[in-house]
Amino acid sequence: MSIWEYANPVKFMRLSGAVLPWLVPLAAICLLGGLIWGYTTPPDYRQGASVKIMFLHVPSAMMAINIWIMMLVASLIWIIRRHHVSALAAKAAAPIGAVMTLIALVTGAAWGQPTWGTWWEWDPRLTSFLVLFLFYLGYIALWEAVENPDSAADLTGVLCLVGSVFALLSRYAAHFWTQGLHQGSSLSVAPGERMSAVYRYPLYVCMIGFFLLFLILLLVRTRTEIRIRRTAALQAREARP
């Protein structure tokens, strides 16, 4: 069985309809459990209680970047293989990614104020993340502005490729420009930089919860886009003389 079989809208609808009832309770358990666990952890010895913003900030920032990469992959599949489900999945993911980016920006500002003494700084990672948010908005606007869905998928695929530069900068800017205020990665495999297990394990649970939430919303929105496409095709067929 090939994975490309699920680019068929009928098979995608059948599979997604089967897995959604299982994903919803699992996501709820991870999100609620992770956030409650995280917000009952003790204050950090340097950042105090403000460190608990991390349990919203880090998963949302992680998803904001990875959703754009997922959109890029889906757009390339559309451009190369012309599978409509991949184009619709990229379209469906964009508003979710925009909200995740906005959550990361707001929680980052709330975390930065007590830590850095300022709500905003033109730090390389913060700036590239803001530009990524603008790319999300531009991507959504471009889908709405182009009437032909295939042309819109082509144009937004190109935009996705350009925006991926800022997605990567958002992820690695703190390593490229050490003069920025933003701290290094919260989770690191480098020796001596491991986060305390008190914070690390609930953060892992929150990250899983955010990923499952995205997956649920992506499946629901993609199913909706497929139904909209079907309805438009039926209406066009009925309108023919």
Side-chain angles (χ1 to χ4, degrees):
M1 181 179 293
S2 171
I3 191 174
W4 301 113
E5 292 184 24
Y6 294 100
N8 181 296
V10 175
K11 290 189 176 181
F12 174 84
M13 294 292 283
R14 186 183 303 124
L15 177 63
S16 58
V19 300
L20 275 171
W22 297 93
L23 290 176
V24 171
L26 186 58
I29 291 170
C30 290
L31 277 174
L32 292 176
L35 290 173
I36 292 172
W37 186 5
Y39 283 93
T40 55
T41 55
D44 181 64
Y45 75 99
R46 285 186 298 181
Q47 301 185 45
S50 68
V51 75
K52 299 180 183 183
I53 300 174
M54 168 179 63
F55 299 106
L56 280 175
H57 176 71
V58 173
S60 59
M62 176 195 74
M63 292 310 305
I65 297 169
N66 289 329
I67 288 171
W68 188 273
I69 300 302
M70 169 260 156
M71 290 164 53
L72 172 64
V73 173
S75 297
L76 290 176
I77 292 173
W78 159 254
I79 292 172
I80 296 170
R81 301 186 68 105
R82 313 305 282 184
H83 288 313
H84 284 89
V85 171
S86 62
L88 296 178
K91 179 184 180 182
I96 310 169
V99 172
M100 291 290 184
T101 310
L102 184 60
I103 292 172
L105 287 169
V106 172
T107 55
W111 194 3
Q113 202 284 327
T115 304
W116 302 335
T118 179
W119 294 96
W120 179 265
E121 186 71 26
W122 292 102
D123 174 280
R125 181 178 285 190
L126 299 184
T127 304
S128 58
F129 217 82
L130 177 61
V131 174
L132 179 62
F133 177 65
L134 297 177
F135 265 95
Y136 268 117
L137 297 183
Y139 181 95
I140 296 169
L142 186 56
W143 261 107
E144 297 299 324
V146 180
E147 185 174 351
N148 184 283
D150 288 356
S151 298
D154 289 335
L155 293 172
T156 53
V158 175
L159 181 63
C160 229
L161 181 62
V162 177
S164 298
V165 175
F166 291 93
L168 292 174
L169 283 177
S170 300
R171 173 63 182 86
Y172 296 106
H175 302 294
F176 297 152
W177 294 289
T178 56
Q179 74 273 20
L181 281 177
H182 199 287
Q183 67 192 51
S185 299
S186 298
L187 296 173
S188 174
V189 296
E193 296 186 13
R194 292 183 64 84
M195 181 189 298
S196 169
V198 173
Y199 303 110
R200 188 168 69 249
Y201 294 133
L203 181 57
Y204 286 153
V205 177
C206 289
M207 291 167 70
I208 294 171
F210 268 73
F211 170 74
L212 291 175
L213 175 63
F214 161 67
L215 187 57
I216 292 167
L217 294 175
L218 175 65
L219 292 177
V220 170
R221 287 185 53 81
T222 304
R223 288 167 62 86
T224 302
E225 291 292 340
I226 291 173
R227 290 191 178 104
I228 292 173
R229 181 72 66 92
R230 284 178 176 174
T231 302
L234 289 173
Q235 290 175 342
R237 187 182 304 172
E238 292 176 357
R240 292 172 187 169

